[in-house]
Amino acid sequence: MGKTLFEKIWDAHIVVEKENSPSLIYIDRHLVHEVTSPQAFDGLRMNNRPVRRPDLTIATMDHNVPTNNRSLPILDQTSAVQIQTLEKNCNDFGIQLFDINSPNQGIVHVIGPQLGITLPGSTIVCGDSHTSTHGAFGALAFGIGTSEVEHVLASQTLWLEKPKPFEINVMGKRKNTHAVTAKDIILSIIKNIGTSGGNGTVIEYRGEGICDLSMEQRMTICNMSIEAGARAGIIAPDEKTFDYLRGRKYTPKNYESLVDYWRDDLKTDSDAKFEKNYTLHINHIAPQVSWGTNPGMTCDVTESIPFPEDFSKGDQNQKKGAEKALEYMALKPGTPITEIKIDRVFIGSCTNARLDDLIEASKVVKGRKLSQHVRAMVVPGSQMVKKQAEELGLDKIFTDANFEWRESGCSMCLGMNPDILSPGERCASTSNRNFEGRQGTGGRTHLVSPVMAAAAAIEGHFVDVREMDLN
Amino acid sequence: MKGNVIKYARDNIDTDVIIPGQYLKVHDYSELALHAMEGLDPDFHSKVKEGDFILSGRNFGCGSSREHAPIALSHSGIKAVLALSFARIFYRNAVDGAFLLPIEIEEDAYSNISEGDEIDIDIHTNEIKNITKNKTYKMKPFSEIIGKIIEAGGLFKYKPD
C-alpha cells in the first residue's frame, strides 16, 4: 500500500522504531524564541549538556518585544530579562540569534520560510503551537513544550507517537480572490470540523482550492491547523514552493538537486489511505467572522449571531459554551454581524502578517480614512516584510489613513507585550485565537482576514468586503 | 491517588485561560500558581487544595504550547486533570515534565462526578472510584509511551528498552 506525504517524511526520520512502541524521530530544524526556551537551557546547564546541533538551531525574539520605536529601552523589566536571557543562552550555546536589532528579526514562523530555513521534506519543531505554519512547504512541522525543547536541544530527536493522516480536500474556485481569502477557507474548515476535529492527526490539505493559493496563503491555512486540534498541517510542495525558496539566505547550495528529489518523492501516493476525510467546496464561501471564544465559533459575514441552541445542535456542552461565549463577547443572538461595532483593529500575527496580506489590506485602505472611533495597528510579521512593504509604499497608504505602522513581532496576538486590548474593547483581528483574554484581560476578539479587518477599520463595524468599491 | 474534584463542565478549556499570556514571563513556579485558571475562574487559587483534581469536557488544554499551563496547575496542588479529551501539546507537557496526570475519561464519569466529590484514581487498574457517590468508572489506559514516561518520572528520566 502507498504512503501519505506525512508518512513518507515520518519514515525518513525514524532513528529508532519498534512495534507497539513510540518512535524516536530526528529533527532537522529547531526554531527557538524567548518565551518557551529559558527553562530548557537551564535544564541543559544543570545536567552539563551542550546543544547537540547548534547549526540546526535558530533563534529570534518575537513574543514580548515591543513594536514601537526600537531605539528605546524595553520598559517592562520581566520582558527585558527574558530577551536578555535568550541572548545569553544563544551566546553560551553557540546558537545563531536574530535579535531585536537584526534585519532578519521577526515572528519565528514568518522568518523561517523567508530565510529558507524551512525546507520541504524536513522535520521542524519550535516551542510554539503555530509551528504548523511551516507545513505549507511540505515539511512535517509541529509545536512542542519546553521539556521537549530541552530534549531536542540535547539530542536533536523526540520520542513521538505517530499521528494519523487526515485528508482535507478543498474543491472549487473562489469567485472573488481578493475578498475571500485563505483565512476564510481555514476558518470555514474549523467551523465545520470543530476545534478538536483534527485531534491526533496530521491534516494534508489538497485539491484545486489549495493548489491555487500562493505560498503565503498556504501558510495561513497550515498555521491554523492547530486551531482544529491537529498536530500539524501539510501541503505537498509544487513549483510555487520551489520558486519561493530558491535563492534565499539559507537555501542549501545543492538546491536544484533537492528540488528534483522533492518533485518526484514528496507527494501522497495514489493508493495511500487516510484515516479521515473532509471536503470543503469553496465556490460560494463568504468572508468569515468569529463571534465567540474559540475559532470554531465562526459564521459568514452575511449571517447573524447564532442562537446557542441552534449552534449546539443538541450538545449540552456546546450550548453552555456558546452561552458563556456570548456573555463574554457581550453579543445578542440574532444580531447581524455587520451591525457589530469595533474599537480596535489588529493586522498582524504569524497567521496574517506577510507581504501578500499587507498588499491586499492596503487595497481596501487606499484613499480612505480610518473610522474616527477606531484605533488600528498594522504590524508586519518581520523586519524583511516591513522593508518590502515600505518599498511598495504600503506604510504610506496605511499611515495616510491614520493606521499605526509598527515594528515586527507577535504584538497584539497574545497579550504578553505592550500591545493589548483594554477590558471590554472589541477588536477585528487577523490573528488566530479568540480565547477569553487572549489579546488582554477582558478584550473581545473577532477573527477575520486582513481585507475584512481593513474594511471594518474604515467603516467602524464589520462589512462584507465583497461589496466595497476598490476602484 | 485520592483527592477532591473541581469541575469545569465545558469543552475547550484553553491554555490562555489556564495561564494568561501576561504571566509567561514569570519564572517562579509558585508565583505562576497564583494566576492558574485566572482567565476562567478568578476564585480558583482560593479554593484549590493540595491533591485536588480538575474535571472537564473535551479538548482540554487546547491552544498554545506553553508548558506554563500544566506547571501553574501542578504548583497550585492539582495532581491530575480528568477530561473527555485533551489537546496533544498540553497532554505531553503534563507528562514530560511529570507535572500532573492527564486522564481521559468516558461520558459516565464526566456527567456523574460532581464538584467536591472525593475520588480515588488507580492508574494500574484504570479505575476511578467515586468515594462520595460509591461508584466506579473506567479511565482510558495510557498508551505505552505515555505510561513509560509517567513511570520513569518524566521525559528526561525515560530510558528506552
Side-chain angles (χ1 to χ4, degrees):
Chain A
M1 197 180 69
K3 289 181 189 172
T4 64
L5 169 58
F6 141 67
E7 289 167 319
K8 288 183 185 180
I9 300 173
W10 178 275
D11 288 353
H13 288 81
I14 293 170
V15 180
V16 176
E17 184 188 48
K18 274 189 287 183
E19 215 174 325
N20 299 322
S21 281
S23 301
L24 189 69
I25 297 294
Y26 194 78
I27 303 301
D28 294 320
R29 295 284 187 280
H30 187 188
L31 307 170
V32 172
H33 65 78
E34 76 277 20
V35 177
T36 53
S37 65
Q39 291 94 337
F41 285 110
D42 287 349
L44 292 182
R45 281 197 189 89
M46 262 163 22
N47 295 290
N48 208 15
R49 291 186 176 113
V51 171
R52 184 174 171 87
R53 291 295 299 268
D55 55 325
L56 303 182
T57 311
I58 299 250
T60 193
M61 33 193 69
D62 54 7
H63 279 59
N64 60 29
V65 298
T67 60
N68 57 357
N69 191 338
R70 287 274 150 94
S71 63
L72 299 172
I74 296 172
L75 294 177
D76 180 321
Q77 275 315 299
T78 52
S79 290
V81 167
Q82 217 166 40
I83 285 166
Q84 287 155 9
T85 305
L86 182 64
E87 284 170 346
K88 178 173 172 20
N89 286 334
C90 289
N91 199 29
D92 288 358
F93 288 92
I95 292 167
Q96 163 98 61
L97 169 69
F98 300 117
D99 69 14
I100 195 160
N101 297 312
S102 164
N104 292 320
Q105 181 272 345
I107 306 174
V108 65
H109 310 308
V110 177
I111 68 168
Q114 269 189 327
L115 293 170
I117 293 164
T118 304
L119 294 177
S122 62
T123 51
I124 303 173
V125 297
C126 174
D128 189 283
S129 57
H130 291 109
T131 309
S132 58
T133 311
H134 307 265
F137 291 82
L140 176 58
F142 49 89
I144 56 178
T146 300
S147 296
E148 289 178 308
V149 169
E150 186 181 343
H151 199 277
V152 176
L153 288 173
S155 68
Q156 206 60 30
T157 63
L158 274 179
W159 289 105
L160 294 171
E161 287 176 287
K162 191 175 178 181
K164 308 263 189 267
F166 180 2
E167 174 185 39
I168 292 188
N169 256 303
V170 179
M171 308 295 283
K173 281 195 179 295
R174 293 167 290 152
K175 286 218 168 57
N176 180 339
T177 53
H178 166 71
V180 180
T181 68
K183 184 68 163 282
D184 303 300
I185 295 175
I186 188 64
L187 282 172
S188 297
I189 289 171
I190 299 166
K191 172 173 80 175
N192 285 298
I193 70 171
T195 49
S196 55
N199 278 172
T201 71
V202 171
I203 298 174
E204 182 176 341
Y205 301 96
R206 318 175 75 191
E208 184 186 15
I210 296 297
C211 295
D212 282 350
L213 298 174
S214 71
M215 288 317 296
E216 300 200 345
Q217 294 165 337
R218 292 179 193 181
M219 284 189 252
T220 301
I221 301 273
C222 287
N223 172 275
M224 287 189 75
S225 303
I226 182 79
E227 262 52 74
R231 193 82 185 88
I234 196 167
I235 294 171
D238 59 11
E239 296 311 313
K240 284 184 195 171
T241 320
F242 309 139
D243 290 346
Y244 179 100
L245 292 171
R246 192 171 280 117
R248 294 194 179 255
K249 187 174 168 76
Y250 290 98
T251 303
K253 288 207 175 64
N254 59 340
Y255 187 68
E256 296 311 323
S257 61
L258 287 172
V259 168
D260 290 341
Y261 154 67
W262 293 332
R263 196 180 277 129
D264 292 341
D265 212 50
L266 288 181
K267 52 188 160 214
T268 291
D269 296 329
S270 57
D271 58 342
K273 250 183 81 75
F274 288 92
E275 290 279 322
K276 264 176 113 169
N277 307 81
Y278 170 75
T279 299
L280 178 78
H281 295 274
I282 58 167
N283 287 348
H284 303 293
I285 68 166
Q288 301 293 301
V289 180
S290 77
W291 51 265
T293 53
N294 73 51
M297 294 173 168
T298 291
C299 65
D300 294 357
V301 64
T302 51
E303 292 180 308
S304 297
I305 303 291
F307 287 83
E309 50 274 31
D310 297 336
F311 171 74
S312 62
K313 299 188 181 92
D315 182 310
Q316 279 308 308
N317 267 12
Q318 290 274 8
K319 182 162 172 270
K320 235 182 278 175
E323 286 165 355
K324 283 212 107 161
L326 290 181
E327 190 190 321
Y328 181 84
M329 295 294 288
L331 291 170
K332 287 202 174 62
T335 310
I337 293 292
T338 50
E339 285 180 13
I340 300 172
K341 287 199 173 126
I342 52 155
D343 310 302
R344 303 282 296 267
V345 168
F346 171 55
I347 298 178
S349 88
C350 59
T351 312
N352 277 131
R354 299 183 177 83
L355 192 60
D356 263 9
D357 298 316
L358 304 187
I359 290 172
E360 292 300 308
S362 76
K363 290 179 188 167
V364 176
V365 172
K366 192 169 186 181
R368 294 186 165 96
K369 291 280 183 215
L370 184 63
S371 170
Q372 290 210 340
H373 68 269
V374 175
R375 181 180 169 198
M377 285 180 176
V378 184
V379 185
S382 69
Q383 287 298 305
M384 213 190 296
V385 169
K386 181 167 182 265
K387 184 165 171 277
Q388 290 167 333
E390 286 171 355
E391 282 164 6
L392 295 174
L394 304 188
D395 55 328
K396 185 97 176 44
I397 294 175
F398 285 113
T399 53
D400 281 352
N402 299 327
F403 285 61
E404 295 168 34
W405 178 255
R406 300 179 73 97
E407 300 293 333
S408 53
C410 298
S411 184
M412 211 162 65
C413 177
L414 85 165
M416 70 170 302
N417 56 63
D419 304 345
I420 53 170
L421 295 179
S422 300
E425 275 190 323
R426 189 179 296 285
C427 181
S429 179
T430 67
S431 55
N432 39 59
R433 289 186 178 137
N434 50 346
F435 299 152
E436 290 184 23
R438 170 79 179 180
Q439 295 190 292
T441 309
R444 296 174 178 135
T445 306
H446 293 272
L447 304 175
V448 288
S449 72
V451 287
M452 281 290 287
I458 301 298
E459 299 297 333
H461 57 87
F462 289 111
V463 287
D464 188 341
V465 67
R466 291 174 298 184
E467 292 170 2
M468 280 183 92
D469 183 6
L470 294 183
N471 303 316
Chain B
M1 193 167 59
K2 276 190 209 172
N4 293 91
V5 167
I6 298 173
K7 185 167 179 176
Y8 297 106
R10 56 190 278 185
D11 296 337
N12 299 313
I13 301 250
D14 59 75
T15 50
D16 276 272
V17 299
I18 297 173
I19 186 76
Q22 67 260 38
Y23 304 117
L24 300 185
K25 295 172 260 187
V26 175
H27 289 254
D28 177 347
Y29 290 171
S30 47
E31 193 190 334
L32 214 50
L34 298 178
H35 303 288
M37 301 304 283
E38 191 175 287
L40 179 72
D41 178 7
D43 300 329
F44 178 79
H45 178 67
S46 56
K47 71 182 177 200
V48 66
K49 299 183 308 298
E50 182 66 27
D52 279 354
F53 306 126
I54 285 175
L55 174 72
S56 191
R58 287 180 288 250
N59 206 26
F60 188 94
C62 60
S64 148
S65 68
R66 57 190 72 166
E67 205 155 296
H68 309 67
I71 292 171
L73 293 179
S74 157
H75 283 260
S76 299
I78 297 292
K79 294 287 176 234
V81 176
L82 295 80
L84 289 170
S85 67
F86 288 90
R88 188 269 170 194
I89 307 181
F90 177 89
Y91 188 91
R92 269 303 290 263
N93 283 347
V95 169
D96 285 342
F99 298 118
L100 53 84
L101 293 179
I103 292 181
E104 279 191 83
I105 52 170
E106 306 279 1
E107 196 60 46
D108 61 335
Y110 174 66
S111 46
N112 210 263
I113 300 173
S114 312
E115 169 93 15
D117 282 2
E118 187 185 17
I119 60 171
D120 188 0
I121 303 167
D122 187 335
I123 61 166
H124 300 292
T125 61
N126 295 313
E127 274 186 350
I128 302 166
K129 273 193 198 123
N130 188 332
I131 298 166
T132 309
K133 294 207 171 96
N134 195 23
K135 279 209 162 104
T136 303
Y137 326 93
K138 281 269 160 218
M139 60 172 263
K140 288 188 198 158
F142 295 117
S143 71
E144 194 168 322
I145 167 122
I146 296 299
K148 282 180 178 168
I149 294 174
I150 289 171
E151 217 172 293
L155 181 63
F156 276 86
K157 295 185 179 146
Y158 167 63
K159 290 193 183 73
D161 308 328

